[in-house]
Amino acid sequence: METDVYHSSKCLLVLLIICHLWWCSLASDTSVLPDEQRLSRKLFYNYDTSVRPVFNSSHSVIVTFNYNLIQVMDMDEKNQVLTLNAWLEWQWIDERMTWNPQDFNGLEVFRVPASKLWLPDILLYNNADDYTSGFMKCNVMILSNGLVLWSPPARLRSSCHIDITYFPFDSQVCSQKFGSWTYDKAQVDLRNKSNVLEVSNYITNGEWTLYKYTLVRNEVKYPIGDSVFPDVTIYITIYRRILYYVLNILLPCFWLNILSVLTFCLPPDAGEKLTLSITVLLSYSVFMLLVADTMPPTSESVPLIEVYLTMSMAMSSVSVIMTVLVLKLHHSPPNPTEVPNWVRFLILGVLAKIIQCKCSPRKDKKKSNPRSAINSNKYKEPEVTSNLIPEPTPYSRNSFSSDASRADDYTSNVDSRINRRSTSNQESSSEYRAHLYERSAYGMEELLKYLKLIVKKTDKEAEEEDLTDEWKQVALIVDRTMFYTFLFITLFSTLVILVLVPAASYVKSGGK
C-alpha cells in the first residue's frame, strides 16, 4: 500500500516538473521572438484571404485608387493596342489588421506579402494581354490603424481605337477602365484619389507627347442585374511627334516633286529630259518601299501622308507621259505636216499669251509655200525663179535679145581675134559665129533648168524648216505650260494636305 502511494507521488512529481519545464521553455521562446513575427502570429491567426476585411457584412470596403504614369511604351496602330508602364496605388481599411504599437515596441508599419492578405479583384476591363498574369505580387504595407497600401508596378496593354486619318499629324485619345469584376458598390466601393494622373515620375517618349490625362469615376448598371458597379476610367491624350516623319518622309518626297517639276525646265535637245523623269519615278518606287514599314498597316482609314505620296507618284508618272509628248512634238518627222488650226489657235494663241511666251508668227501660207503653188500649177514657175531669170526659147532671137547681145559681144571679140590672125576667110567666120551662138543658147537653157531645180529644193527645205520650227514652238509652249501647272499642283497640294488639313483638324477639335 505504501509502495503504491510512493509510486503515485513520484509520478505526480515528475509530471509537475515536466509541466514546469514546458512552461519555462514557452516563456523563454516568446521573450526572444522578433516583434514583427509576434505581430504576424497575432494578425494572421485564423485569417481567411477569401473573406472581405469587414466584421459587418453590410458594410462596404472603400478602395481608393490612384494611377502613377511612368512611360508610354508603344502604340501598335495595326493591332490597336496601347502599352503603358505605371504604378497602381490601392488603399483600403482591413478591420482585422489592427494592433497597439506599444505592445510591439512602437511598430506602426508592417510589410507582408500580398498573397497573405485579402485583395480586391480589380481588373483592367479593356485589357489586351493575358489575364492570368495579373499584377505583380509585391509586398503590402499595413498601418496600425488597419490601413492597407498596395502599389504594384504594371505594364498595361489596353485596347485603344486608333484613328490614323491625319497621320503623322494625328492625336490619339485612349482609355483604361479599372473596376471590380465580382463585387458591386455595396461590397466594394472604388473611388479615385484625384482627378488627374500622377506624372511626377513620367519618362518622355520619343514618338508621342503626353498632352492630357484625367481620371473619371463612373457607376454602371450591367444587364446581369440591378447592382451598381463603380469603375475608374483613365483618359490619356497623346500627340505624335512629327519631326522624324518630316525629315525622313515628307521633305524627301517634296524634293522629288521639285525634281519632277524641274524636268520641264530642261530643253528637249539636252537629251536628259526623259532620263530625269524616269529616274524620279524609279526613286519614288524605291522610296515607297522604304516608307511602307514606317506607315501604319491598316485599311480602316487612309492616312494623310499616304494620300500625299500617292498623289506625288501619280504626278511623277504624268510628268513622264508629258515629257514623251513634248519630245514627240519637238522632234518632228522628216516630212512634217502642218500644224492644225485648232492647235495653232489654242496653243500658239491662247496658251502663249497666258504664259507670256513670245512666238514668231508664221508667214502666209500662199506666200511662204512655193511647193504647193508648183504642185497646183506645174507650168507656173516660182516667183523667185521668174524674178531671177526669164524663160528662154532656144531658137527665138526675140526672147533671147539680151542673150544674143551678150553672145554678139563675145563673138565680136572672137572675130577681132580671128581678124588679127586671118581676114581672108569670112565665110568660115560666119559659120563659126552661128555655131557659137547656137551652143551658148543651149548652155543657157540647161543652166536655167538646173537653177529651177535648186530654187525648188531650197524652197522645199525652207518650208519644212518653217513647219519644224512651228512644231518646236508648240512643244516649247506645252513644256512651259506643264512646268507652271506641275509647280502649282505641287505647291498647292503640299500646302493643303500637309498644312491646311491638319490645322483645320486641330482647330475643329478645339486644340485637344
Side-chain angles (χ1 to χ4, degrees):
M1 190 67 174
E2 293 179 357
T3 305
D4 294 337
V5 173
Y6 174 74
H7 284 293
S8 299
S9 60
K10 189 177 179 180
C11 290
L12 182 60
L13 180 62
V14 172
L15 183 60
L16 292 173
I17 293 173
I18 291 175
C19 290
H20 178 71
L21 293 175
W22 176 77
W23 179 258
C24 291
S25 63
L26 182 61
S28 62
D29 290 343
T30 304
S31 61
V32 297
L33 284 179
D35 296 333
E36 292 184 356
Q37 187 174 352
R38 290 190 296 114
L39 181 59
S40 177
R41 286 185 177 183
K42 176 184 180 300
L43 296 178
F44 294 102
Y45 176 72
N46 202 21
Y47 185 89
D48 190 355
T49 59
S50 62
V51 179
R52 290 185 305 119
V54 289
F55 292 108
N56 190 346
S57 61
S58 62
H59 293 175
S60 175
V61 179
I62 300 176
V63 179
T64 304
F65 173 72
N66 193 27
Y67 194 100
N68 193 338
L69 182 60
I70 302 301
Q71 187 180 15
V72 178
M73 292 293 296
D74 183 38
M75 175 69 80
D76 189 354
E77 290 90 352
K78 179 180 180 181
N79 299 315
Q80 298 198 356
V81 174
L82 173 66
T83 304
L84 299 177
N85 274 353
W87 296 344
L88 307 178
E89 299 180 4
W90 315 95
Q91 297 181 13
W92 68 91
I93 297 294
D94 194 331
E95 296 179 0
R96 295 173 292 179
M97 294 287 111
T98 59
W99 70 91
N100 187 2
Q102 301 301 326
D103 296 340
F104 300 91
N105 296 323
L107 180 61
E108 295 184 354
V109 180
F110 187 37
R111 295 169 178 85
V112 295
S115 59
K116 299 181 68 175
L117 278 179
W118 174 87
L119 299 176
D121 61 340
I122 297 177
L123 300 175
L124 177 61
Y125 274 46
N126 55 339
N127 188 15
D129 210 348
D130 188 6
Y131 280 97
T132 59
S133 59
F135 301 120
M136 178 181 177
K137 301 301 180 181
C138 60
N139 288 343
V140 178
M141 298 175 59
I142 307 174
L143 276 64
S144 59
N145 60 354
L147 180 62
V148 180
L149 302 175
W150 185 37
S151 302
R155 175 170 293 184
L156 305 172
R157 301 182 74 249
S158 59
S159 301
C160 177
H161 178 71
I162 301 174
D163 185 10
I164 58 172
T165 303
Y166 299 102
F167 176 85
F169 306 96
D170 56 330
S171 62
Q172 306 297 335
V173 180
C174 297
S175 63
Q176 291 183 341
K177 181 179 178 180
F178 293 90
S180 176
W181 192 254
T182 58
Y183 293 113
D184 57 8
K185 183 180 179 181
Q187 295 174 323
V188 174
D189 188 6
L190 182 60
R191 301 177 181 179
N192 53 314
K193 186 177 181 179
S194 63
N195 293 327
V196 293
L197 301 183
E198 179 65 34
V199 292
S200 58
N201 299 317
Y202 179 73
I203 301 173
T204 58
N205 184 273
E207 185 178 1
W208 298 95
T209 301
L210 183 63
Y211 177 71
K212 192 176 182 181
Y213 36 89
T214 57
L215 278 79
V216 179
R217 182 180 181 273
N218 305 301
E219 293 183 356
V220 183
K221 287 185 178 181
Y222 294 98
I224 59 177
D226 295 333
S227 300
V228 177
F229 289 85
D231 65 77
V232 175
T233 305
I234 298 165
Y235 294 97
I236 299 176
T237 304
I238 53 179
Y239 280 95
R240 193 187 301 269
R241 299 177 185 267
I242 64 173
L243 182 60
Y244 171 82
Y245 299 97
V246 169
L247 294 180
N248 294 278
I249 298 179
L250 298 181
L251 280 182
C253 182
F254 177 75
W255 289 119
L256 285 177
N257 287 340
I258 296 299
L259 288 179
S260 180
V261 172
L262 291 179
T263 302
F264 298 102
C265 291
L266 284 177
D269 294 330
E272 301 296 332
K273 193 179 185 68
L274 186 60
T275 304
L276 179 59
S277 299
I278 296 177
T279 303
V280 173
L281 182 60
L282 294 178
S283 301
Y284 263 116
S285 302
V286 177
F287 186 69
M288 290 290 288
L289 293 177
L290 296 177
V291 173
D293 296 334
T294 308
M295 298 176 61
T298 178
S299 300
E300 184 177 358
S301 59
V302 180
L304 199 64
I305 189 174
E306 188 171 349
V307 174
Y308 183 70
L309 291 177
T310 304
M311 191 194 66
S312 299
M313 193 167 184
M315 287 179 56
S316 180
S317 303
V318 174
S319 70
V320 174
I321 298 175
M322 297 308 300
T323 301
V324 173
L325 177 62
V326 169
L327 293 178
K328 174 66 177 177
L329 294 176
H330 182 81
H331 299 284
S332 57
N335 295 319
T337 59
E338 292 188 9
V339 177
N341 293 329
W342 66 270
V343 175
R344 186 180 291 108
F345 171 76
L346 181 63
I347 297 180
L348 297 180
V350 178
L351 288 181
K353 293 179 180 179
I354 294 176
I355 65 175
Q356 300 297 321
C357 180
K358 296 181 180 180
C359 301
S360 58
R362 190 163 172 257
K363 296 180 180 180
D364 190 7
K365 182 176 179 181
K366 295 181 179 180
K367 295 182 180 180
S368 61
N369 193 2
R371 185 179 60 178
S372 60
I374 294 173
N375 293 332
S376 62
N377 190 356
K378 296 182 180 180
Y379 301 100
K380 288 185 179 181
E381 300 299 332
E383 296 181 2
V384 179
T385 306
S386 60
N387 292 332
L388 291 176
I389 303 172
E391 177 74 16
T393 303
Y395 300 100
S396 178
R397 293 179 179 268
N398 295 327
S399 61
F400 282 99
S401 59
S402 60
D403 296 337
S405 61
R406 278 180 278 180
D408 289 338
D409 294 337
Y410 178 77
T411 52
S412 62
N413 293 332
V414 174
D415 290 341
S416 61
R417 294 178 182 176
I418 295 175
N419 290 329
R420 293 191 193 101
R421 295 179 179 178
S422 177
T423 57
S424 60
N425 197 356
Q426 295 293 334
E427 294 180 359
S428 61
S429 177
S430 300
E431 293 177 359
Y432 179 75
R433 183 183 303 174
H435 175 71
L436 184 60
Y437 176 79
E438 182 181 357
R439 188 173 180 180
S440 62
Y442 179 75
M444 187 64 64
E445 180 184 3
E446 294 294 326
L447 178 61
L448 292 177
K449 180 180 179 181
Y450 285 112
L451 285 176
K452 293 177 186 179
L453 294 177
I454 292 175
V455 170
K456 289 180 180 179
K457 185 176 181 181
T458 303
D459 292 341
K460 183 179 180 181
E461 291 178 353
E463 174 66 14
E464 292 180 354
E465 185 177 355
D466 291 340
L467 293 176
T468 302
D469 291 340
E470 192 172 12
W471 280 113
K472 287 182 178 181
Q473 290 180 2
V474 173
L476 176 62
I477 296 174
V478 172
D479 203 12
R480 191 74 57 83
T481 305
M482 290 299 104
F483 170 75
Y484 289 119
T485 303
F486 274 74
L487 181 62
F488 173 76
I489 294 176
T490 299
L491 297 179
F492 181 76
S493 61
T494 303
L495 180 63
V496 171
I497 297 178
L498 302 183
V499 178
L500 296 183
V501 173
S505 173
Y506 182 80
V507 173
K508 184 178 180 181
S509 62
K512 298 181 181 180

